[in-house]
Amino acid sequence: MPARPALQDQLIQRFGLQAHPEGGYYRETHRDTARVAREGGPAGVATHAASTAIYYLLCDEAYSAWHRIRADEVWHFYAGCPLHVHVLEADGSLTTHRLGDALAHEDTVFQAVVRAGCWFAAERSDPDGFSLVGCTVAPGFEFSEFELADAASLQKAHPRHAALIARLAPAVAG
């Protein structure tokens, strides 16, 4: 694997980023002190932060593997190359948001929303580049409501998108 460019190391150091279970690097930057009740979780009714926010960096060989959460997630573009955020919609269709600098790339947007409960994954448009984005979740993100996909089950449920699912499948612990 080639050495990581200095700018990516600077971003990891400057923003105190750490490895994320789905791939890439992240750091939580905000956890709202306001609390909201949340029904239907593992413990019945629980309270969560009203919202949370993170920095999220994809570089090197990393991608955001297929996963889902129980809340809407807004992705915000900050720097680097455009990022493809792939979402498997409830009706089985695939939506790909092209997140990037909308002033420099006509076909990109600064923000994209992934609805609660949808399976999604993300990858850089340039495999040699990096993408620095932010994610805001409301109600706030909790790892207890984060689910990495079982790629075989997801492919069976969405056979039209099997190749994309396989390419961005979670790493198998070994």
Side-chain angles (χ1 to χ4, degrees):
M1 177 197 301
R4 179 184 304 126
L7 178 57
Q8 294 168 33
D9 281 332
Q10 288 173 3
L11 290 169
I12 291 167
Q13 293 302 316
R14 178 174 180 187
F15 295 113
L17 306 178
Q18 58 188 338
H20 195 291
E22 78 194 43
Y25 298 88
Y26 83 108
R27 181 174 63 89
E28 186 173 274
T29 58
H30 174 72
R31 180 165 289 274
D32 200 328
T33 57
R35 306 295 289 178
V36 295
R38 182 71 185 245
E39 293 184 16
V45 177
T47 62
H48 291 308
S51 66
T52 55
I54 65 168
Y55 285 127
Y56 184 56
L57 174 68
L58 282 178
C59 59
D60 304 328
E61 305 295 317
Y63 55 86
S64 172
W66 291 101
H67 65 288
R68 64 182 173 185
I69 61 175
R70 289 190 59 229
D72 287 356
E73 182 168 1
V74 182
W75 289 61
H76 314 264
F77 181 79
Y78 298 134
C81 67
L83 186 73
H84 298 141
V85 181
H86 306 290
V87 182
L88 292 170
E89 304 290 351
D91 66 2
S93 65
L94 175 72
T95 299
T96 298
H97 301 284
R98 189 164 155 84
L99 198 65
D101 181 349
L103 300 175
H105 304 281
E106 255 183 49
D107 61 341
T108 63
V109 294
F110 286 117
Q111 297 179 353
V113 177
V114 176
R115 296 285 174 212
C118 289
W119 290 105
F120 64 104
E123 61 185 333
R124 298 175 319 278
S125 62
D126 177 357
D128 296 324
F130 73 92
S131 298
L132 178 65
V133 300
C135 298
T136 304
V137 178
F141 177 83
E142 298 291 339
F143 270 106
S144 64
E145 297 180 351
F146 169 84
E147 180 183 4
L148 276 171
D150 172 278
S153 296
L154 201 56
Q155 286 174 307
K156 188 174 183 181
H158 301 278
R160 289 184 301 162
H161 311 299
L164 180 62
I165 292 167
R167 191 173 81 241
L168 300 176
V172 178

